[in-house]
C-alpha cells in the first residue's frame, strides 16, 4: 500500500532493512545504476515521487557491472 514510487521503496524497506540504501542515495535520489519502472515504463531519475495506483507494478532494476 503506497501512493508514490518512493513510498513503495519505503514499504519494502520496512520488510527488508537495507533495501532503500541500495536504491536511493543519502539525499533520497535514485542511485546512478538503478532504473525504476511503473507498469513496464521507465521513469526519469527525478520521478521517484511519481504517483502509483493500487493496480500499478513498480519494478527496480540495478545494472550489473564487471569485467
Amino acid at each position: 500500500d503506497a501512493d508514490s514510487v518512493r513510498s513503495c521503496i519505503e514499504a519494502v524497506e520496512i520488510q527488508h532493512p537495507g533495501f532503500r540504501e541500495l536504491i536511493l542515495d543519502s539525499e533520497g535520489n535514485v542511485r546512478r545504476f538503478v532504473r525504476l519502472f511503473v507498469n513496464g515504463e521507465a521513469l526519469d531519475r527525478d520521478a521517484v515521487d511519481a504517483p502509483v495506483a493500487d493496480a500499478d507494478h513498480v519494478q527496480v532494476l540495478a545494472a550489473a557491472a564487471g569485467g
Side-chain angles (χ1 to χ4, degrees), residues 2-43:
D3 59 359
S4 71
V5 173
R6 184 182 304 275
S7 58
C8 289
I9 294 168
E10 295 297 334
V12 174
E13 172 68 17
I14 292 168
Q15 295 180 16
H16 303 282
F19 178 76
R20 177 183 47 229
E21 68 187 43
L22 298 172
I23 309 306
L24 304 176
D25 64 18
S26 61
E27 297 176 1
N29 299 313
V30 177
R31 291 192 177 274
R32 183 175 172 199
F33 295 109
V34 173
R35 293 297 310 241
L36 301 174
F37 297 82
V38 174
N39 299 324
E41 296 206 20
L43 295 179

